Amino acid sequence: MRVAEYVTYDAVGLAELVAAGEVTAAELRAAALDATRAVDPQINAVVETWQDEDGDEPQPGSTPLAGVPFLVKDIGAAMAGRRMELGSRLAAGHVARSDSFLALRLRRAGLVTFGRTATSEMAYSITTEPVLYGATRNPWDPERSAGGSSGGAGAAVAAGVVPLAHGTDAAGSLRLPAAYNGLFGLKPTRGRVSLGPDVDELFSGLAVPGGVSRTVRDSAALLDQIRGPEPGDPYAAQQPSRPYAEEVARHPGRLRIGVLGQAWGGRRTSAPVADALSRTAALLADLGHQVEEAEVGLGVGWEEYVLANARLFTANLAATVDELAAAFGRPVDSSTLEPATLAGYHYGQRVGGTQLVAALAVRNRVSRSLARSFDAYDILLTPTAPELPTPLGAYTESARTLDGLGWIDTVFDRAPFTMPFNMAGTPAMSVPLTADAGTGLPIGMQFAAGHGLEGRLFRLAGQLEQASPWAGRIPAVWAGNTTGR
């Protein structure tokens, strides 16, 4: 299959071709590698490719994704015998000894994983510019960030390398790249996807696996394949009554939607994003939904909220760094860690046990407060990010002068809308409904629902995709046509 044809299909469409015998998984893998060679020199999204996938050829038609080329993020999906370096010089050369439960489910889904995508170091930034592999560039404007920490996944999917890709989300790391790259990205409910067997939870329950895609049905099909508990999981979300793939085509009904235009913490939403939010609210009203401005509290003050998150993130970061340093016999200093990560490590070393417990109590208060918001509203609508994709290097200088708390404060100031739903553990999605009229850059809108209600989000996303299609918007860097359209 030629790249120009390959990029016209989403993942479900490619799997249907395989099931019909019109193309083989090997031919799709070859097309994906050709697409990688065509565009990756311009975006630097894929840090490694594999010429063949271990195991048997996927059985055509065995799942809705069988035979589809796929990429995993360089953190969060350990695959036995493959490198997973966490975007860090400290972990350079690390090879996973065993499969994670997620990797096993990706194989059972018949996905053909042929490489790794870039991440910010230790998934500790909202831009993907690691020293280890260099900056990932946004396919819409290569001088801008592709977001983070799943920026490599976002750029690769937007540029046509693969129709969907794995990512993780601890503070918006799926939704922000989705917004920056004009994609659909859904953060599942805490406990929806197992993180075992090597860990029970990541970043004290803030991080969850998922994916980014160009169509809603692809993300639904992926979550159907990877969801469900495994033995030993600390908690699990209640399983849905029907597959998410079926929800996409179902009418969402008339929803009560609360709109939050300005973020917690005082960061003002930029004019292009505020305009996009207004247009989205009008579209929702035209579709028959009840839309109104909402007042949504976090249950704690902003400074207390940032401090609790800083303690949760940095304490977990410090433990990971210590483990890697011991495993590789490497020093923990500026030769192995970037400034923001190193500052976070030192801050996390000083977080005491009682401080960590207090931070978890703040997480609980935020969860309870947001849960009460879903008594009044079926859906909360916010911008995914308060501004357009930032220029590359925007965070570099500040990272050199900030301590661990200062870095988290900066990150949350730039991305204030996404993190509360990680604290609450509730599902949230970024939908690429519109773009900035001046620059053409995509703008994502975030929709959040109550615990376990991914089905509600998929129903609304399917309706929005029909009402305001985004498939025809192609970035400047595109595997099927590098001049864009």
Side-chain angles (χ1 to χ4, degrees):
M1 174 179 280
R2 294 172 61 87
V3 170
E5 180 184 7
Y6 164 75
V7 297
T8 64
Y9 289 90
D10 68 356
V12 173
L14 290 174
E16 289 171 348
L17 293 179
V18 174
E22 296 181 32
V23 68
T24 67
E27 289 169 336
L28 291 183
R29 182 196 299 123
L33 288 167
D34 286 343
T36 306
R37 287 187 285 268
V39 299
D40 199 58
Q42 301 168 72
I43 59 173
N44 194 37
V46 183
V47 300
E48 182 185 22
T49 59
W50 310 319
Q51 290 301 314
D52 53 51
E53 164 70 338
D54 294 334
D56 297 330
E57 184 82 359
Q59 184 66 36
S62 56
T63 79
L65 298 175
V68 174
F70 193 71
L71 293 165
V72 292
K73 185 178 178 180
D74 193 26
I75 188 171
M79 304 184 76
R82 300 295 193 189
R83 281 192 291 171
M84 188 180 70
E85 298 170 305
L86 290 70
S88 178
R89 292 166 292 170
L90 184 63
H94 173 256
V95 175
R97 296 181 180 178
S98 59
D99 283 326
S100 62
F101 289 145
L102 176 59
L104 290 173
R105 292 194 175 201
L106 293 174
R107 285 202 179 95
R108 290 172 191 161
L111 288 160
V112 180
T113 304
F114 69 95
R116 296 179 289 145
T117 58
T119 178
S120 51
E121 184 174 55
M122 308 279 180
Y124 197 60
S125 177
I126 57 173
T127 187
T128 302
E129 303 177 46
V131 171
L132 180 63
Y133 286 115
T136 295
R137 298 177 177 274
N138 191 312
W140 294 87
D141 179 352
E143 297 306 312
R144 294 181 184 258
S145 170
S149 62
S150 304
V157 173
V161 173
V162 286
L164 79 165
H166 158 259
T168 60
D169 193 315
S173 289
L174 278 168
R175 288 159 289 160
L176 290 166
Y180 279 17
N181 293 282
L183 303 173
F184 179 82
L186 184 143
K187 178 196 81 68
T189 297
R190 182 182 296 139
R192 177 67 67 207
V193 183
S194 176
L195 295 165
D198 292 337
V199 296
D200 59 352
E201 59 182 22
L202 292 173
F203 287 119
S204 296
L206 302 180
V208 292
V212 291
S213 63
R214 296 197 294 270
T215 65
V216 177
R217 70 175 186 172
D218 279 1
S219 283
L222 178 64
L223 189 53
D224 278 332
Q225 295 303 312
I226 64 176
R227 63 178 166 85
E230 293 281 357
D233 286 352
Y235 33 64
Q238 182 177 356
Q239 291 302 294
S241 59
R242 64 180 65 86
Y244 293 128
E246 294 182 10
E247 299 285 15
V248 176
R250 294 173 66 90
H251 194 277
R254 187 172 188 262
L255 300 172
R256 300 166 300 161
I257 299 177
V259 182
L260 183 67
Q262 301 297 333
W264 305 277
R267 160 69 73 163
R268 306 302 293 176
T269 300
S270 66
V273 176
D275 177 65
L277 181 66
S278 296
R279 284 182 278 150
T280 300
L283 171 63
L284 291 164
D286 288 344
L287 291 171
H289 301 295
Q290 177 185 326
V291 183
E292 61 185 64
E293 291 186 10
E295 292 186 8
V296 180
L298 292 178
V300 298
W302 183 255
E303 290 185 2
E304 185 179 7
Y305 167 80
V306 172
L307 177 61
N309 275 287
R311 288 172 171 169
L312 292 173
F313 274 101
T314 62
N316 281 273
L317 175 69
T320 298
V321 168
D322 281 340
E323 182 180 358
L324 290 169
F328 290 101
R330 292 170 179 161
V332 179
D333 57 26
S334 59
S335 70
T336 57
L337 292 179
E338 297 165 28
T341 317
L342 187 59
Y345 169 74
H346 289 311
Y347 189 91
Q349 284 185 307
R350 299 191 296 271
V351 175
T354 55
Q355 291 176 323
L356 190 63
V357 171
L360 290 171
V362 170
R363 187 190 74 178
N364 178 60
R365 287 160 64 189
V366 172
S367 297
R368 305 297 176 179
S369 181
L370 284 177
R372 287 192 292 272
S373 298
F374 292 115
D375 290 336
Y377 299 106
D378 300 310
I379 296 286
L380 292 177
L381 165 63
T382 79
T384 306
E387 57 191 357
L388 299 176
T390 55
L392 289 171
Y395 295 93
T396 304
E397 290 306 315
S398 62
R400 299 184 187 281
T401 60
L402 294 172
D403 66 3
L405 176 59
W407 174 250
I408 294 296
D409 187 41
T410 296
V411 167
F412 283 14
D413 177 64
R414 291 294 185 91
F417 290 108
T418 51
M419 180 60 208
F421 303 106
N422 291 83
M423 261 203 151
T426 53
M429 64 182 181
S430 182
V431 185
L433 286 175
T434 187
D436 175 44
T439 63
L441 291 169
I443 299 175
M445 290 290 112
Q446 178 179 237
F447 299 82
H451 189 273
L453 295 179
E454 288 94 330
R456 179 178 293 170
L457 291 177
F458 278 123
R459 289 193 294 274
L460 177 59
Q463 182 188 51
L464 291 170
E465 188 177 32
Q466 290 295 314
S468 182
W470 54 81
R473 298 201 300 265
I474 304 299
V477 178
W478 176 246
N481 174 15
T482 54
T483 63
R485 72 172 191 267

